[in-house]
């Protein structure tokens, strides 16, 4: 079943579509983070302005240099030893759709530790966006059944995994990491 769902989601991503999918945190909307039209489609679905950036998911820290110009050594330790999902905001984003990158040139990246997500990103060979599956300004859904029909109807594909799961997951910790290695928490 996992392989079948990865194949279906992969096909949608490759064709510029948007998936509604379970992550290591909460349910998210995802697309090819390098495809400007797909990123705009998510903004349209969420009813949010184009100036808000996205978190992207990668399957391994070895892919960081493809999307960030400077990676402080401490980043690798933070990723390795994080016990909970951790999103790190790096300066100097590159090779991503403009709508993914913050106005200051930074990007939030999470090395995902979730079977479906990590295998999907590995097979896709590009990062995917991860943004909460809700309309802008509305609360993030804790479970699949809390996602609005409007969001479900707008997605090109809904991943058929973990829909009945009732384990409450939390959004990731977000940390901003400067090129020199200094860091600050945005969300704990």
């Amino acid at each position: 079943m996992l392989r079948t769902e990865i194949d279906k989601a992969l096909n949608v991503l490759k064709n510029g579509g948007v998936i509604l999918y379970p992550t290591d945190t909460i349910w998210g909307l995802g697309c090819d983070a390098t495809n400007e039209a797909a990123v705009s489609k998510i903004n349209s679905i969420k009813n949010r302005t184009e100036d808000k950036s996205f978190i992207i998911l990668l399957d391994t820290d070895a892919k960081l240099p493809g999307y960030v110009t400077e990676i402080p050594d401490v980043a690798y330790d933070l990723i390795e030893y994080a016990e909970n999902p951790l999103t790190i905001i790096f300066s100097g984003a590159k090779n991503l759709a403009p709508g993914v990158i913050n106005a200051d040139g930074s990007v939030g990246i999470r090395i995902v530790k979730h079977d479906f997500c990590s295998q999907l990103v590995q097979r896709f060979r590009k990062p995917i966006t991860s943004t909460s599956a809700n309309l802008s300004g509305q609360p993030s859904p804790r479970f699949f059944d809390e996602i609005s029909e409007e969001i479900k109807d707008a997605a090109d594909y809904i991943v058929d995994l973990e829909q009945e799961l009732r384990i409450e997951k939390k959004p990731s910790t977000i940390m901003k990491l400067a090129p020199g290695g200094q860091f600050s928490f945005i969300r704990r």
Side-chain angles (χ1 to χ4, degrees):
M1 176 129 176
L2 178 64
R3 180 133 185 126
T4 301
E5 288 304 304
I6 290 169
D7 289 342
K8 289 177 181 177
L10 197 56
N11 186 49
V12 171
L13 293 174
K14 286 179 177 177
N15 289 296
V18 172
I19 61 171
L20 176 59
Y21 67 111
T23 74
D24 53 341
T25 59
I26 57 179
W27 275 79
L29 288 169
C31 70
D32 176 350
T34 66
N35 181 328
E36 192 170 352
V39 171
S40 290
K41 184 174 183 179
I42 288 184
N43 280 325
S44 178
I45 290 170
K46 287 182 63 92
N47 236 359
R48 80 185 215 169
T49 60
E50 298 272 338
D51 62 342
K52 291 185 105 183
S53 58
F54 290 94
I55 290 172
I56 65 166
L57 302 181
L58 291 174
D59 60 314
T60 173
D61 59 12
K63 291 183 180 173
L64 286 172
Y67 303 101
V68 180
T69 55
E70 289 184 60
I71 305 152
D73 289 339
V74 70
Y76 296 101
D77 292 333
L78 291 167
I79 292 163
E80 183 178 351
Y81 295 111
E83 293 181 11
N84 297 312
L86 173 66
T87 299
I88 299 176
I89 299 173
F90 292 94
S91 300
K94 64 181 183 179
N95 302 323
L96 296 165
V100 173
I101 302 170
N102 287 310
D104 66 0
S106 65
V107 64
I109 300 177
R110 186 164 77 246
I111 307 303
V112 73
K113 297 172 184 171
H114 178 270
D115 281 347
F116 172 78
C117 293
S118 59
Q119 289 182 49
L120 177 65
V121 174
Q122 180 184 26
R123 289 202 38 218
F124 189 47
R125 296 190 180 100
K126 291 191 257 183
I128 61 173
T129 62
S130 181
T131 183
S132 55
N134 60 305
L135 296 173
S136 187
Q138 299 293 318
S140 298
R142 298 170 302 157
F143 309 111
F144 179 77
D145 60 9
E146 291 181 353
I147 300 169
S148 73
E149 290 305 313
E150 188 175 347
I151 294 287
K152 290 176 185 174
D153 291 344
D156 295 304
Y157 185 68
I158 300 172
V159 173
D160 190 14
L161 295 170
E162 299 181 24
Q163 292 183 10
E164 305 301 320
L165 194 64
R166 299 301 288 181
I167 296 170
E168 192 162 347
K169 298 179 181 180
K170 293 184 167 71
S172 65
T173 297
I174 301 177
M175 172 185 286
K176 187 167 181 111
L177 185 60
Q182 305 84 354
F183 63 88
S184 58
F185 287 96
I186 307 297
R187 179 175 69 201
R188 286 185 187 231

